[in-house]
Structures are given as structure tokens and as C-alpha cells.
Amino acid sequence: MRTRRSVPPARVLAAVLLTAALAVTGCSGAGGASGGSDTAADRAAPADQRAVAPEGAKQGASGADGAGASAGRATAPPEAAAQHVIRTASLTVRVKDVPKALAEARATAENAGGHVGDETTTRDDEGRERTRVVLRVPVERYEEVLADLEGTGKLLERRAKAQDVTDQVVDVESRITTQRASVARIRELMDRATRLSDVVTLEGELSTRQADLESLLARQESLKDRTSLATVTLSLSETPVEKAAKDDDPGFLDALAGGWDAFVTMLRWLAVAVGAMLPFAVVAALLVLLWLKAVRPRLPRRPEPVPAPGAPGPLPVFPSASRPARGDSGEDTEEGGKG
């Protein structure tokens, strides 16, 4: 039978101590490694978090903005584009006093923040005045000013026109922005140019584009003036004198008045005719008087005609009393015949 070998106690103690030392060393190394890794992870974590956190925050913010924008687009109505309209109107009003109505129209335009433009005043053969004035008033007070001008008298005619020029305004603004950018690029190229030929070419191009820009700016200013101020052309005329209406059936007094008017008119025309002929009559009378008093006596008189020698003289004329009566002469004649 086998017998167990006894291990010396010294060896056993050395083996136990070695095992314990190895165990302690392994635990300390593991703990140190784990502790070092934890420390490194702790140090690296903030940097990673700092690097990752802004991106996440940005993504979250962008997501929130996108969601908010989409929600806003879904809920809020789209903003309407500003409209640019040119408004013009023409009014013809009959008034009793043109200067007074014109003063009121001027005051209305100035109180509304506008001004008076062209003005023309004429007068007809009957002495009635007629005035045409152009008023520029703000668009916001356009309807109010029209109502005030219509109330100055009797409205005879009204014409209003509205022209939408929003497309033109937007187009001009866009072209101005593009032209300004083009001018800026040309100036940058001029600053970088080194050769004289390039500078001359760029200066010519800059002048052309600058002129185009100024033309666009002038057009923009014109559109702004025409859309911000409405144009009202006001024509004022005086009220004609109304004649009294006459009865259709004239009476005795009307006939008498008409006859008297005709008689007076005839006398007036006769007086006019006599007055027109009077100078000629006076001149004719003076000529006749001059002929009779001065010219005719100086003219030679014609000699009276002398009778011829053998010519019989004039027959004698017997008085009517010496002549026999018709009956007596008849009897004598008969007696003479008998004898």
C-alpha cells in the first residue's frame, strides 16, 4: 500500500505566501487598471459630451424650428403682398361762386396733406367763369377728399380710374438690386485692374451701368409719387341765370306789351336809320346850297331866241267876255247863211 508523502511545512508556507502575494498583486493591478480606465473615461466624457451635445442641440433646435415653422405655415395665413395702385379722378361741379369754391378746394387738399398743381381759369362771353385745377392728395384720404369736393356744388360728372402697377414696382426694385450689385462688381474689378486698357474699359462699363441704375431709380421715384398721391382734376363752372318761365297762353296785357315792344323797336330802328342818313343829307344840302348861291350865278346865261322876219306873229287873244255866246254865234251863222 502506498503511503502519502508528507510535504515539508516550509514549502507549504512559502507556497501560501506566494499565492497570497500573487493574489494581492492581481487585485491591485485590476483595481488600478479599472480605476485608470474609469478616470480616463471620466476625463474623456465631458469632451465627448461637449462635442456631441451642440450637434444634438442644433438638431433638436432645427427640428423644433422646422416643426414650429411647419406649424406656423399650417396655422398662420400667408401675408398678402403690398399693392401699388395709381388712382386718378375727374370731377365737374357747377357752383354759384367759382372763386369761393376754388378756395374751398385748395383748403381741402392742403388739409388732407396734399398740394395744388396746375390751374386754368377762363371766362365766356356772358361773363361766367370756368376753372380747371389739378389736386394731388394722399391715397389714404382719396375718398374723403372726393366726397368734400362733390359737396361744393351740383355734381355734373365724375370719372375715377385705378391702375395696378404692383408688377412694375416689383420689377423695378429687382432690377435696381441687380444693377447695384453689378456696379459694385465693376468697381471691385477696377480696384484690382493694373493695366490702363482694362481701367478704361471698366470705366466705360461702369458709366453705362451707373446711368442705367439712375434711370431705374428715377422710374422708381416716379412710381412711388404716383402711387402715394392720387390725382384729382376738378372743373368748376358758375350756375347760369335761370329765366322766368312764361305762360303758354298769352293774354291781352302780353299782346299789349308785345305790341309796345315792337313799336319801340321800330322807332329805335327808324332813329338808327335817320341817324345813319343824317350826315349824307347834311352834305347833300350843303352841296345844293353851294350850287345855288355860288356856282349857278356865275354861269353864262343863254340868249333868248329871236323870231324870224317873215314869220307870222302870235295870234291875238280875245277876252272871254267879247266872245259871242254859243247860241248867238249859231244864230248869226244861220242868218249869214240865209243872207
Side-chain angles (χ1 to χ4, degrees), residues 204-278:
E205 188 67 22
L206 179 61
S207 300
T208 302
R209 299 191 181 188
Q210 190 71 29
D212 294 341
L213 178 60
E214 292 177 357
S215 177
L216 290 173
L217 291 174
R219 185 178 177 186
Q220 184 186 36
E221 190 66 23
S222 176
L223 289 173
K224 181 180 179 181
D225 177 72
R226 295 168 62 190
T227 54
S228 60
L229 294 177
T231 303
V232 180
T233 303
L234 178 63
S235 298
L236 300 173
S237 60
E238 289 186 352
T239 304
V241 179
E242 296 181 358
K243 298 181 179 180
K246 297 182 178 180
D247 297 334
D248 295 336
D249 299 332
F252 175 76
L253 296 179
D254 296 332
L256 182 61
W260 176 256
D261 293 339
F263 177 72
V264 172
T265 303
M266 183 187 65
L267 291 180
R268 185 182 299 113
W269 282 109
L270 289 176
V272 171
V274 171
M277 295 177 61
L278 185 61

Side-chain angles (χ1 to χ4, degrees), residues 74-90:
T75 57
E79 295 182 359
Q83 291 186 350
H84 302 273
V85 180
I86 299 176
R87 299 187 180 275
T88 57
S90 176

Side-chain angles (χ1 to χ4, degrees), residues 79-312:
E79 295 182 359
Q83 291 186 350
H84 302 273
V85 180
I86 299 176
R87 299 187 180 275
T88 57
S90 176
L91 298 177
T92 302
V93 182
R94 178 177 294 173
V95 296
K96 295 181 179 180
D97 190 354
V98 170
K100 181 179 179 181
L102 180 59
E104 293 178 358
R106 288 177 177 173
T108 301
E110 293 175 357
N111 293 335
H115 62 274
V116 180
D118 299 336
E119 179 182 339
T120 305
T121 301
T122 58
R123 187 184 296 272
D124 58 9
D125 298 337
E126 298 180 0
R128 295 193 295 264
E129 290 187 2
R130 181 179 180 85
T131 299
R132 180 179 179 273
V133 61
V134 178
L135 306 176
R136 302 296 306 281
V137 297
V139 177
E140 297 79 9
R141 306 287 299 275
Y142 172 70
E143 296 295 340
E144 180 181 353
V145 170
L146 284 184
D148 293 341
L149 294 178
E150 292 175 4
T152 57
K154 181 180 179 181
L155 180 64
L156 300 180
E157 183 181 5
R158 170 176 174 172
R159 294 181 181 179
K161 182 180 179 181
Q163 181 182 1
D164 190 356
V165 293
T166 305
D167 296 340
Q168 298 182 21
V169 173
V170 173
D171 178 67
V172 170
E173 291 178 353
S174 176
R175 293 174 62 183
I176 287 175
T177 302
T178 304
Q179 198 69 16
R180 283 176 175 171
S182 178
V183 170
R185 286 195 301 270
I186 295 296
R187 288 178 176 174
E188 291 179 359
L189 293 175
M190 288 183 62
D191 295 338
R192 298 176 185 177
T194 57
R195 293 186 300 180
L196 181 60
S197 60
D198 296 340
V199 173
V200 172
T201 303
L202 291 173
E203 284 183 352
E205 188 67 22
L206 179 61
S207 300
T208 302
R209 299 191 181 188
Q210 190 71 29
D212 294 341
L213 178 60
E214 292 177 357
S215 177
L216 290 173
L217 291 174
R219 185 178 177 186
Q220 184 186 36
E221 190 66 23
S222 176
L223 289 173
K224 181 180 179 181
D225 177 72
R226 295 168 62 190
T227 54
S228 60
L229 294 177
T231 303
V232 180
T233 303
L234 178 63
S235 298
L236 300 173
S237 60
E238 289 186 352
T239 304
V241 179
E242 296 181 358
K243 298 181 179 180
K246 297 182 178 180
D247 297 334
D248 295 336
D249 299 332
F252 175 76
L253 296 179
D254 296 332
L256 182 61
W260 176 256
D261 293 339
F263 177 72
V264 172
T265 303
M266 183 187 65
L267 291 180
R268 185 182 299 113
W269 282 109
L270 289 176
V272 171
V274 171
M277 295 177 61
L278 185 61
F280 299 96
V282 171
V283 172
L286 291 176
L287 292 176
V288 171
L289 183 62
L290 181 63
W291 170 264
L292 295 177
K293 298 295 184 180
V295 177
R296 186 176 180 181
R298 296 181 181 181
L299 293 177
R301 297 182 179 180
R302 295 180 180 179
E304 296 180 357
V306 179

